[in-house]
Amino acid sequence: MKSFDVAIIGAGPAGMASAIEATRNGLSVIVLDEQPAPGGQIYRAIETVSDQRAAILGTDYLAGRDLAAAFRNCGATYVSGATVWNIDNGLKINYSRAGLGSDQISATSLVIATGAIERPTPMPGWTLPGVTTAGALQILLKAHGAVNDDVVLVGSGPLLYLVATQMLTARYAPRAIVETTPAGRLIKAARHLPRALTAFSYLRKGLAMKRKLHKSGIPFYANARAVAIEGTTTAQAVIFQSGGKSHRIETTAVALHQGVIPNQQITRLLRCEHDWNANQHCFVPRLDAFFQTTVENIYVAGDGAGIGGAVSAALRGRLVALRIAEKQGKDTIARQNDVLKKLKADQAIRPFLETLYAPSPENLLPADDVMVCRCEEITAGQIRHAVDLGAPGPNQVKSYLRCGMGPCQGRMCGPTVTQIIADHRKKEVGEIDYYRIRPPLKPLALAELAAIESEPTRHTPL
Amino acid sequence: MFKRVQTDISNPVSIEFEGQKIDVEQGETVAAALMLAGKRKFQESAVSHAGRGPFCLMGVCFECLVEINGTPNRQACMILAEDGMKIRIQKAAIEETDR
Ligand SMILES: Cc1cc2nc3c(=O)[nH]c(=O)nc-3n(C[C@H](O)[C@H](O)[C@H](O)COP(=O)(O)OP(=O)(O)OC[C@H]3O[C@@H](n4cnc5c(N)ncnc54)[C@H](O)[C@@H]3O)c2cc1C
Ligand code: FES
């Protein structure tokens, strides 16, 4: 088995920046990522995107080009199409390569840079074909130049408006934007404005985006509640209340978004401690000032450490690499301080955004008849009933109902299940905690499992 | 309906979905290719057998599971379309084995 000073999971801005900084400090580095190319979520397909598509995606996206090029040249071993499915306490890492078999490597330090996922958005009809996340539409645009001419966007958050702007630029404006942000949020968020003003360029970009969307004539529906998707076999309409009226928009495609949350599969697998972040409405791994988890030599960089955006993701990646190098005897303190200062400045916008775009209450605590676990088709009402019968936490609800036992392994229901239980038992969410995550992180073919011990390690050096 | 911003397919790859031949652009994932061909139902849910289709397109939700060349439970959003691939609607999702 090959071994490295540092193993980095994820080749988004955090993972790429971390690899560049670590190799610069003489460490041997391997980067594993399940996508076919580097970039992560924000810079997906950055190396191959056409000029036409690049113009649609905008300058923030194109900023990833230089980072990806520097990453390619940094000397790290990069394995694409590599899905990490287990890591043990000794930092032995198993990954499968696009169904081709499984390999194992080991490392002294681990950097988890697996980013964020979109927050699950349970509501009536959200399992109908034709309903996707807003991020899914953006992935189709970035990686495939695919756009849909019949989309109603529903939800809240910066990414929703970014996707709308990109669709507009591609000349396929969404049919309507149904905003679930409750009234009065702006007033609540206003107290964070002074700090946000120190990150003025973010504010300016956000305002410009909204102005452009409003000017385009796309219908906006504010403060939407009681949102549901209708359809028998596929999505046919979105219904909701807004401005004191009931609305129904016929459409074949609905895209949902309620912000992003850290992807916690690997930190949970490794039994790192997590805390509930009430501002971001999600679990965040407990980290020290240098982004080390409660387990020695395991670090989290990027949005997995709490949502901070792409610029902070790269800064966190660099900081972690500098810290690891310091532990191996390099003098990196001055550079760490420099990065810490930049990080603090870049985070100034966050409290404002978190308050303004906090997720919709009806998504966080869905009504009894709403399906929460898509794989096993378990409703919010069934979960509440299981709690009434004595299930105190997610793992008991799981064994009562099979909730979270399907192929997605709880990724789509876990956050909601925890919040429903906490609310129903009138407990703190952090106290209720989360599903216990076990390997494999993704379902494996039997052949892959069988191959683990016997197969020699294969690598594709850059 | 999904459309390509660039209208022409420049490097065609031919796949089959439920016996129907579909030309797609090289480098497209199976999910993107099928969505561009107007397909929305990829699998039947394990419990009620309701139709399901891709939701996240980033490997998280497992709603895009299809059968590819006879192998079930393939994540269409993570697999690139290859010439001659035979894809079928997945009838029952995998069950967990070890917990
Ligand atoms: C769908 C989506 C779209 C987004 N689009 C934008 C945008 O356009 N602009 C913006 O400012 N922000 C966007 N964001 C927010 C975004 O998360 C961050 O700004 C930024 O991408 C975070 O960088 P990161 O390096 O932390 O993680 P990511 O960029 O998310 O990179 C994580 C990488 O880890 C890989 N990975 C995850 N699990 C495994 C595993 N088990 N094995 C191997 N590899 C794994 C993933 O494939 C991914 O490439 C988006 C988020 C999502 C979820
Ligand atoms: S669409 Fe979600 S995993 Fe493929």
Side-chain angles (χ1 to χ4, degrees), chain A residues 8-17 32-44 57 60-61 78-79 81-87 94-96 112-119 133-139 142 158-159 162-163 166 202 257 259-261 263 265-266 301-314 316 350 411 441-442, chain B residues 56-58 60 78:
Chain A
I8 300 172
I9 322 291
M16 292 193 290
L32 305 169
D33 189 293
E34 66 180 333
Q35 290 194 44
Q41 298 310 337
I42 175 161
Y43 307 135
R44 183 179 281 267
L57 293 169
D60 281 352
Y61 173 74
Y78 164 54
V79 192
T83 303
V84 172
W85 58 266
N86 193 22
I87 304 176
N94 294 100
Y95 60 96
S96 68
I112 302 165
T114 49
I117 62 171
E118 287 180 273
R119 182 192 304 282
T133 66
L137 292 186
Q138 201 203 30
I139 289 169
K142 280 179 185 166
L159 190 59
L162 176 61
V163 173
Q166 290 167 335
Y202 282 118
H257 185 74
V260 296
I261 59 174
N263 175 355
Q265 295 302 112
I266 293 184
D303 269 0
I307 303 307
V311 172
S312 280
R316 288 169 179 177
R350 287 290 144 184
R411 288 168 175 88
L441 288 174
K442 293 210 169 175
Chain B
C56 73
L57 285 179
M58 57 178 278
V60 174
M78 303 297 288

Side-chain angles (χ1 to χ4, degrees), chain A residues 126-330:
Chain A
W126 73 309
T127 54
L128 287 167
V131 182
T132 64
T133 66
L137 292 186
Q138 201 203 30
I139 289 169
L140 287 169
L141 178 58
K142 280 179 185 166
H144 307 292
V147 278
N148 192 316
D149 58 3
D150 189 29
V151 177
V152 175
L153 290 173
V154 178
S156 152
L159 190 59
L160 192 77
Y161 300 110
L162 176 61
V163 173
T165 309
Q166 290 167 335
M167 289 173 69
L168 182 65
T169 313
R171 303 218 177 100
Y172 288 88
R175 295 257 318 281
I177 301 180
V178 179
E179 296 177 289
T180 58
T181 318
R185 277 286 169 74
L186 193 55
I187 295 165
K188 262 197 190 165
R191 70 193 167 92
H192 299 296
L193 205 51
R195 189 166 166 224
L197 281 168
T198 67
F200 188 66
S201 70
Y202 282 118
L203 271 185
R204 199 187 51 215
K205 272 187 216 159
L207 287 171
M209 219 154 61
K210 284 203 81 170
R211 208 174 313 120
K212 189 174 167 185
L213 289 171
H214 279 288
K215 254 178 72 184
S216 73
I218 300 169
F220 271 77
Y221 297 89
N223 188 17
R225 288 174 306 105
V227 187
I229 299 151
E230 289 183 342
T232 44
T233 56
T234 56
Q236 287 167 333
V238 193
I239 55 170
F240 56 94
Q241 313 266 329
S242 166
K245 283 196 218 127
S246 298
H247 299 265
R248 183 173 191 278
I249 307 174
E250 287 200 12
T251 178
T252 54
V254 184
L256 309 174
H257 185 74
Q258 293 288 338
V260 296
I261 59 174
N263 175 355
Q264 40 173 346
Q265 295 302 112
I266 293 184
T267 43
R268 291 278 177 188
L269 173 76
L270 289 163
R271 303 285 176 263
C272 303
E273 297 288 341
H274 292 70
D275 295 305
W276 179 254
N277 182 321
N279 293 333
Q280 299 193 345
H281 298 267
C282 59
F283 282 107
V284 173
R286 191 178 303 160
L287 303 167
D288 70 10
F290 304 94
F291 295 86
Q292 183 173 257
T293 65
T294 48
V295 182
E296 185 79 23
N297 298 327
I298 298 179
Y299 298 80
V300 184
D303 269 0
I307 303 307
V311 172
S312 280
L315 289 169
R316 288 169 179 177
R318 284 178 53 196
L319 180 68
V320 161
L322 290 166
R323 180 70 169 173
I324 294 169
E326 183 201 344
K327 281 195 181 171
Q328 305 221 350
K330 296 263 171 179

